[in-house]
Amino acid sequence: MSPRRVRACLLAGALLGFLTGLAACESAVERQRVTLCRRAVPALAPTETDLAVLRAGAGPAPDTVRVDYRVGSRPRWALCRFNAGAELLGITTDQGHLNGAALYLLKRYYLDTPDAEASDPARADGAR
């Protein structure tokens, strides 16, 4: 095999490795986003209600995640907006937009706590 062909194969392999790594990183960021948005739902829903997540995934715009859920028999949704990473920038629900103070309190005093993890509607044991 010629040195030129070897160099082309090495370059193609390096490019493939880079793109695979980039895709894995994107998947990790997307998983973080979905988890954060889903964990915000119990704080947005009325307390002492039957809450079930119906769907959680990419939203309609870039850097957004939409969570469709049910409270009792009523369908609801939350749309979370993120920066290029996994920093939560805003939440809009079927009830309206979360203002800056409410978003700050949610992020600072709830989302990073064990309570948010324990109340995650996607927990396998179904605890809320």
Side-chain angles (χ1 to χ4, degrees):
M1 197 184 284
S2 73
R4 180 181 235 171
R5 193 159 177 86
V6 169
R7 193 175 318 133
C9 286
L10 287 174
L11 182 59
L15 182 60
L16 180 63
F18 173 75
L19 292 175
T20 302
L22 189 60
C25 181
E26 182 66 30
S27 295
V29 168
E30 187 63 26
R31 280 193 303 272
Q32 281 183 300
R33 289 174 173 182
V34 168
T35 298
L36 272 174
C37 195
R38 190 184 61 234
R39 286 184 179 173
V41 167
L44 303 171
T47 58
E48 304 302 319
T49 57
D50 180 30
L51 176 88
V53 171
L54 305 173
R55 173 198 151 328
D63 299 323
T64 62
V65 168
R66 180 177 166 127
V67 176
D68 294 312
Y69 60 102
R70 181 181 37 85
V71 175
S73 62
R74 183 183 169 117
R76 296 226 155 137
W77 56 268
L79 184 68
C80 299
R81 190 171 42 89
F82 294 88
N83 68 357
E87 181 185 353
L88 183 61
L89 300 178
I91 299 178
T92 302
T93 71
D94 55 307
Q95 303 293 305
H97 184 73
L98 225 61
N99 68 33
L103 181 64
Y104 172 79
L105 292 171
L106 178 72
K107 288 168 49 176
R108 174 87 165 116
Y109 295 106
Y110 181 70
L111 286 178
D112 291 333
T113 68
D115 288 341
E117 183 177 350
S119 297
D120 188 338
R123 283 188 42 186
D125 63 7
R128 172 152 170 344

